[in-house]
Amino acid sequence: MSGVSGQVPQALPVLGAAEVARAGRALPVPFELHLDNRDAGAAGALEADVRLRVERMLRYLPGRRLVAQARLGDRTVLLKLFVGRRARHYCLRERRGVLVLAAAGTATPQLLATLSDGACHALLFTYLEGVRALTDAPADICAAARQLARLHRAGARQRDLHLDNFLCAVDGTVHLIDGDGVRAGAGRGLSVAASLRDLGVLCAQCPPRFDDHLEQILRCYRDERGLFPVAPQALLQATRRQRRLRVRHYLRKAQRDCTEYHCEQDLRHFFVCMRECLDPALHRFAADPEAALASAEVVKAGNSATVLRAAFGTRRYVVKRYNVKGPVHRLRRALKPRSRFRLAWCNGQRLHFLGIATARPVALLERRFGPLRGVAYLVMEDRGDLDLAGAVAAAAPAVVARLMTSCAALFGDLARAGLRHGDGKASNFLVDGEQVLCIDLDAMAEDSGRGLMRDLQRFLANWPADGSTRAGFDAALREAGLPLPGPGVPAAARR
């Protein structure tokens, strides 16, 4: 008798609502969810005994909410399961918002059923196969703007407006999801001011270079909404205002413990790290940085800062160590409201958030003695050591031309974001492939325009005024629409 090949399928764990609520992050997936539906017999509800096979978690907040792909019989559905003390409140709010989306004529997944099990409440939706996340491509944002216009035309709003609340189907239709933040209106169109704010919030999710497409977005919104007396310049101002608010909110998160960042602090140290990069090697670095850097390569040795290239585990980083030159320097550092290393950390996260090319900081470690700040270590991605001057001197003319265009685009992004670099030396611009990145962000700050002019003056002073390289950069910056300094570059800009 021949043996049977393959493994015998194991039975899935069966969990009730109370067990899901208690499971925390140890929730086993896949599992079978058994609900004793108390809403059986109500409109839109299923039978009393409901069994769902939860196959894949899409989002999970332990003790609060589970969003998952599930099977109900032979049908794939989207499950939103609410647990905890206010489960019923959040479920009803989600349900009301979803009905508002449907009534407004937006494309949104159909609500199939509501469930209640005392310990939890749940909603079942049609599952959209093959959808993808919305990108910041103009075509995607135009489609999202049309859906937003339908919602505004009905007088409703989405108060949690971000790109994750839109899904693009295979046929190109953009679906609005997540009814939790949707609020119904008074039956007439949303006011111009509120509509402009929401449209600005949508456009502010995109990098600063996207601002060139705002007039196209406004046209798409008007095509769906109808009469909307707003000029493109007003949308530009609303977008930049909302982008600044989003950046400030993000930078507060980048300095505390949250989903994206790990943070720990006491009287002796402050350590913050991107959670996705946190591993035993970075933990060892945080415990004893000098031991971790004992075999590091010194790239630049200075009095105020030392730059090193090091390997922590399997990853390579560039570490900038901010030295303490003496007791007076330590006291001055303590009296400053924000240190240079904290500014560099925040500016690196700011540029990453805005989609502007940089070597992103991965971790920051500050040694402290109460309010006195000591040596600090900024850990950054290792994007190579080829600076812009070296790349321009060694590359072929065609590559140099592309580097000039990339550099002009970088300055254009900074201008649209309202930022100045503060130090335009060629060594503060790295070349990775054919992409130019700005580094050394200690002096970066928000700017009204004059700082950008000084940045460009200092940047152009890296090359002789009568040389072809200077002329090439001059032409690339001019083509990018940037304000160029006059022919005489001040001596101060050359230092």
Side-chain angles (χ1 to χ4, degrees), residues 155-315:
R157 298 183 73 176
Q158 167 58 279
R159 294 182 179 272
D160 187 21
L161 197 60
H162 53 80
L163 298 189
D164 289 342
N165 282 340
F166 295 87
L167 291 176
C168 190
V170 290
D171 63 357
T173 303
V174 168
H175 294 257
L176 251 175
I177 61 172
D178 194 0
D180 184 70
V182 176
R183 301 293 182 269
R188 55 182 181 274
L190 196 64
S191 70
V192 171
S195 301
L196 179 60
R197 177 196 172 278
D198 284 2
L199 191 56
V201 170
L202 174 66
C203 295
Q205 320 270 326
C206 304
R209 69 182 72 92
F210 183 85
D211 292 353
D212 295 341
H213 302 284
L214 290 181
E215 189 170 353
Q216 176 188 359
I217 303 303
L218 186 58
R219 281 199 305 270
C220 293
Y221 181 89
R222 282 178 178 153
D223 289 345
E224 193 67 44
R225 175 79 186 264
L227 182 64
F228 188 62
V230 167
Q233 186 63 28
L235 178 57
L236 175 63
Q237 293 173 356
T239 298
R240 292 184 173 176
R241 181 167 56 249
Q242 294 301 327
R243 187 179 288 132
R244 286 194 298 270
L245 292 174
R246 294 185 74 244
V247 166
R248 289 169 189 170
H249 174 71
Y250 183 77
L251 292 185
R252 287 194 293 269
K253 287 174 52 179
Q255 300 175 78
R256 61 176 173 81
D257 200 68
C258 61
T259 303
E260 190 171 351
Y261 295 95
H262 167 82
C263 183
E264 54 189 60
Q265 59 182 318
D266 54 31
L267 291 175
R268 304 305 299 270
H269 84 298
F270 172 87
F271 178 64
V272 62
C273 177
M274 289 168 50
R275 200 174 287 276
E276 67 183 57
C277 296
L278 188 61
D279 57 15
L282 272 177
H283 271 300
R284 290 192 294 272
F285 163 78
D288 191 349
E290 289 302 323
L293 294 171
S295 60
E297 171 196 353
V298 177
V299 177
K300 177 183 177 183
N303 289 329
S304 59
T306 304
V307 180
L308 308 103
R309 179 169 279 109
F312 298 154
T314 59
R315 299 177 178 178

Side-chain angles (χ1 to χ4, degrees), residues 49-382:
D49 184 18
V50 177
R51 287 182 178 266
L52 290 155
R53 177 190 169 102
V54 177
E55 297 181 329
R56 184 165 64 101
M57 283 197 299
L58 303 176
R59 191 174 183 204
Y60 184 42
L61 297 177
R64 291 181 57 190
R65 182 167 73 249
L66 168 67
V67 182
Q69 176 186 340
R71 296 282 296 180
L72 179 65
D74 58 355
R75 183 175 190 176
T76 301
V77 296
L78 180 81
L79 166 70
K80 283 197 175 184
L81 182 72
F82 301 85
V83 297
R85 187 171 57 87
R86 304 193 69 194
R88 183 174 183 274
H89 166 78
Y90 289 120
C91 182
L92 291 177
R93 193 166 74 178
E94 174 83 23
R95 187 176 186 276
R96 283 195 297 268
V98 167
L99 294 177
V100 170
L101 289 176
T106 64
T108 190
Q110 181 186 357
L111 176 63
L112 300 174
T114 59
L115 304 169
S116 175
D117 190 3
C120 76
H121 296 264
L123 301 173
L124 299 182
F125 297 87
T126 53
Y127 185 80
L128 301 176
E129 297 283 357
V131 292
R132 61 171 175 83
L134 202 70
T135 70
D136 55 22
D140 277 10
I141 304 301
C142 279
R146 291 190 181 97
Q147 296 298 332
L148 191 63
R150 292 185 180 184
L151 194 63
H152 289 171
R153 192 173 57 201
R157 298 183 73 176
Q158 167 58 279
R159 294 182 179 272
D160 187 21
L161 197 60
H162 53 80
L163 298 189
D164 289 342
N165 282 340
F166 295 87
L167 291 176
C168 190
V170 290
D171 63 357
T173 303
V174 168
H175 294 257
L176 251 175
I177 61 172
D178 194 0
D180 184 70
V182 176
R183 301 293 182 269
R188 55 182 181 274
L190 196 64
S191 70
V192 171
S195 301
L196 179 60
R197 177 196 172 278
D198 284 2
L199 191 56
V201 170
L202 174 66
C203 295
Q205 320 270 326
C206 304
R209 69 182 72 92
F210 183 85
D211 292 353
D212 295 341
H213 302 284
L214 290 181
E215 189 170 353
Q216 176 188 359
I217 303 303
L218 186 58
R219 281 199 305 270
C220 293
Y221 181 89
R222 282 178 178 153
D223 289 345
E224 193 67 44
R225 175 79 186 264
L227 182 64
F228 188 62
V230 167
Q233 186 63 28
L235 178 57
L236 175 63
Q237 293 173 356
T239 298
R240 292 184 173 176
R241 181 167 56 249
Q242 294 301 327
R243 187 179 288 132
R244 286 194 298 270
L245 292 174
R246 294 185 74 244
V247 166
R248 289 169 189 170
H249 174 71
Y250 183 77
L251 292 185
R252 287 194 293 269
K253 287 174 52 179
Q255 300 175 78
R256 61 176 173 81
D257 200 68
C258 61
T259 303
E260 190 171 351
Y261 295 95
H262 167 82
C263 183
E264 54 189 60
Q265 59 182 318
D266 54 31
L267 291 175
R268 304 305 299 270
H269 84 298
F270 172 87
F271 178 64
V272 62
C273 177
M274 289 168 50
R275 200 174 287 276
E276 67 183 57
C277 296
L278 188 61
D279 57 15
L282 272 177
H283 271 300
R284 290 192 294 272
F285 163 78
D288 191 349
E290 289 302 323
L293 294 171
S295 60
E297 171 196 353
V298 177
V299 177
K300 177 183 177 183
N303 289 329
S304 59
T306 304
V307 180
L308 308 103
R309 179 169 279 109
F312 298 154
T314 59
R315 299 177 178 178
R316 293 188 59 80
Y317 297 107
V318 171
V319 181
K320 186 172 184 180
R321 181 175 62 204
Y322 294 80
N323 304 318
V324 177
K325 293 185 284 187
V328 175
H329 186 208
R330 184 187 295 271
L331 181 60
R332 287 174 53 198
R333 182 176 284 182
L335 294 175
K336 287 184 178 180
R338 297 192 70 182
S339 58
R340 291 181 70 85
F341 40 83
R342 188 68 72 93
L343 286 171
W345 167 261
C346 289
N347 284 326
Q349 305 308 327
R350 182 201 303 266
L351 293 189
H352 171 77
F353 185 71
L354 292 173
I356 300 176
T358 188
R360 185 182 183 185
V362 169
L364 173 66
L365 173 64
E366 301 176 9
R367 291 301 198 189
R368 293 176 172 178
F369 186 74
L372 299 177
R373 303 184 185 101
V375 177
Y377 306 82
L378 183 68
V379 182
M380 297 166 284
E381 297 174 328
D382 187 353

Side-chain angles (χ1 to χ4, degrees), residues 445-460:
E446 293 184 358
D447 176 62
S448 59
R450 293 182 180 179
L452 173 66
M453 179 66 76
R454 287 193 292 270
D455 274 354
L456 294 175
Q457 286 180 331
R458 178 64 187 90
F459 177 76
L460 290 173

